[in-house]
Amino acid sequence: MPVKKFVKSGLKLHGVKVKRSDVPYIKGMLLAVKQMEKPLENFPDINEKTPLTTIDKGVFKHD
Amino acid sequence: MTDLAFTDAFRLARMIENKELSPVELTEHMIGRINRLNPEINAYLSPLESAAREQAAAAEKEIMAGIYKGPLHGIPIGIKDNYKTKGIRTTAGSKLLGDFTPDINATVVDKLSAGGAVMLGKLNMQPFGAGLAGHNQDFGAPRNPWNKKNIPGGSSSGSVAALASGMAAVVTGTDTFGSNRVPAAFTGVYGLKPTYGLVSTHGIFPPAWSLDTAGPIARSVPDLAIMLEHMAGFDPDDPASLRTSLQNYMEGLDADIRGMKIGIPDYYIQGLDKSVEKLFKSAVAILEEMDAEVREMEIPELSLAPFAGFVTTAGEAAAYNYEGMKKYPEAYPKDVRVLLSTGLLSSTAQYEKAQQARRKLVEGLQKAFTEVDVLLGPTAPMTAPKISSKPGAQSLEVVQKCTPFTVPANLAGIPALSVPMGMDKKGLPAGMQFMGPHLSEKKLLQLAKAWEETGPLKKKYGELEVNRL
């Protein structure tokens, strides 16, 4: 599906009114995120990692 | 009296403690400056003249009666407007909240009040903390006191504008993906993002729960230390609050930094504007002259930070604003609406992938901290750009350029302290940041204090044209 169509239908599905002038910017951000995703490929073990939870004191070493 | 506006809070505190300076006189001086300068700088959304006068009078009475509460007693401060203040309008920088008047104080506000601070007012900010440029289409953006044609940085835009124009001695800010550090860098002040959970975020509007931190911004390192000492501490009302012993951050600030191991990740020296690159090289040379052991190092996991940072911020912010976006999308400024829309359209799978990347990043940084004491990099790849006629687009651009530099510390929950590193040819300040392991604030403050003594800013705040009024 073209990204612009995805933006419009996706926001509509969430019940958010789509402002046409926003669409190119949202599209740009979504494509930028896809670019940012690329370095994940350099870490083949990433799927072995448990996702960090919202409040995860286990990883915050202190005292 | 003009110099009082730019005198460090710790020096003002000594004068107040020794009864050489009256908190009432000091507060009146600051109110006078706010009345003169704020219409142009727009740092304060809600100045609180009468409340400040009452608090200053109470502080003076206590001090004269021999009840001195400590180094914030009688010191005029500003509070970022995403901190809830009981009975005082709190906007989070947006008209969407109308005249919302909380019935509680944020925990930090209570703590600062208990220390005897005088609240001068609520400070302007980028709406909901969702940006790094400092634009505000609802209330107007604060101006950068170094050049009013340039952005101040955000989201703690009013906080830094007030400091650099001498309208507050110290201020509070929040930092979710760089909101204390980027504006500090753009205006030549010191901004601290503490360890996640060290300072309570209870009663503060959240852009993104798992990244949010509250922290101080100041014109000197000792002032940061004083503020952190008052702001930090366990809070049962904040589920993320750390149970950790309180530290005296002022003590040992002058510690010797010789032999301190400083690592510069190669990630941080890519994509810099020429002027920032030059200033950074000079700063590194100075640190080496100070006998710090500086070396470049690779932390490949840092490359995961832009993805993890963006997806986490946009996703959590979209969750918090879900109802608002459905009911009043037009009430959000364009840049915030675009960010939230991107969060709404990102998938749960992407969010979880971001949290996996985040754990990987934490591991990479923990490994690095077995080799060095502190990591160093520029706070932002540029100095403050000129205010654009398209604030929404500029805001998104600044987020995309600066977030990779600042968000790693938020993702890993580690402290990061931005210090001025010099000025570019246009006379605009640039910043660099020290990052350390969890709860290494004291070490960062010691290093920053040693750096501060090299006099990185060649011009004094009081010499700025805007401050001569």
Side-chain angles (χ1 to χ4, degrees), chain B residues 19 52 61 74 109 112 117 153 185 204 248 257 266 294 310 320 322 401 413 426 431 442 460 463 467:
Chain B
K19 302 186 179 71
K61 200 174 165 188
V109 172
L112 295 170
I204 299 176
N248 181 343
I257 65 145
D266 55 356
V294 188
F310 192 86
Y320 183 74
Y322 194 47
K401 281 188 176 173
K426 294 177 220 151
K442 192 156 185 166
K460 292 178 180 170
E463 292 169 7
N467 293 331

Side-chain angles (χ1 to χ4, degrees), chain A residues 22 45 47 49-50 62, chain B residues 337 353 359-360 363 439:
Chain A
D22 286 356
D45 66 334
N47 235 15
K49 301 293 168 194
T50 306
H62 61 94
Chain B
R337 204 170 52 233
K353 189 58 72 185
R359 188 175 293 276
K360 188 80 185 158
E363 289 172 1
L439 297 171

Side-chain angles (χ1 to χ4, degrees), chain B residues 103-224:
Chain B
D103 54 9
I104 60 155
N105 276 333
T107 299
V108 168
V109 172
D110 277 336
K111 280 172 170 273
L112 295 170
S113 297
V118 173
M119 200 198 309
L120 289 170
K122 302 294 294 293
L123 293 159
N124 203 345
M125 58 178 286
Q126 190 143 355
F128 302 105
L132 298 175
H135 288 300
N136 187 320
Q137 281 120 299
D138 282 355
F139 296 109
R143 299 288 161 155
N144 188 328
W146 292 86
N147 189 330
K148 288 177 286 174
K149 290 180 182 161
N150 294 62
I151 61 169
S155 65
S156 305
S157 48
S159 303
V160 294
L163 278 178
S165 58
M167 289 195 276
V170 281
V171 296
T172 66
T174 52
D175 191 316
T176 299
F177 52 101
S179 285
N180 270 4
R181 289 164 287 154
V182 171
F186 284 0
T187 56
V189 296
Y190 295 78
L192 176 65
K193 180 219 107 52
T195 301
Y196 181 76
L198 179 63
V199 176
S200 169
T201 55
H202 172 67
I204 299 176
F205 279 98
W209 301 278
S210 75
L211 302 171
D212 292 338
T213 50
I217 313 178
R219 287 189 300 262
S220 77
V221 175
D223 290 2
L224 278 186

Side-chain angles (χ1 to χ4, degrees), chain A residues 14 19 21-22 25 29 32-33 36-37 45 47 49-52 56-57 59-63, chain B residues 196 241 244 306-307 310 322 326 334 337 344 350 352-353 355-356 358-360 363 400 438-439:
Chain A
H14 281 296
K19 196 162 183 196
S21 62
D22 286 356
Y25 290 99
M29 293 301 260
V33 173
M36 292 175 201
E37 240 181 68
D45 66 334
N47 235 15
K49 301 293 168 194
T50 306
L52 207 86
D56 190 343
K57 289 178 185 164
V59 298
F60 300 143
K61 305 283 182 208
H62 61 94
D63 277 350
Chain B
Y196 181 76
S241 187
T244 180
F307 168 73
F310 192 86
Y322 194 47
K326 283 197 281 189
K334 187 185 191 75
R337 204 170 52 233
L344 284 174
Q350 277 180 308
E352 288 302 326
K353 189 58 72 185
Q355 305 319 304
Q356 287 180 302
R358 205 168 157 184
R359 188 175 293 276
K360 188 80 185 158
E363 289 172 1
Q400 281 185 301
H438 298 128
L439 297 171

Side-chain angles (χ1 to χ4, degrees), chain B residues 263-307:
Chain B
I264 302 172
D266 55 356
Y267 171 91
Y268 274 98
I269 42 183
Q270 293 163 22
L272 304 176
D273 280 2
K274 286 272 180 255
S275 58
V276 172
E277 190 178 348
K278 196 176 164 191
L279 288 167
F280 187 63
K281 279 183 183 166
S282 304
V284 169
I286 294 170
L287 285 166
E288 283 170 336
E289 281 169 21
M290 293 162 75
D291 286 335
E293 289 179 25
V294 188
R295 69 177 172 97
E296 288 186 18
M297 63 194 304
E298 282 185 20
I299 307 176
E301 294 84 355
L302 280 166
S303 65
L304 299 168
F307 168 73

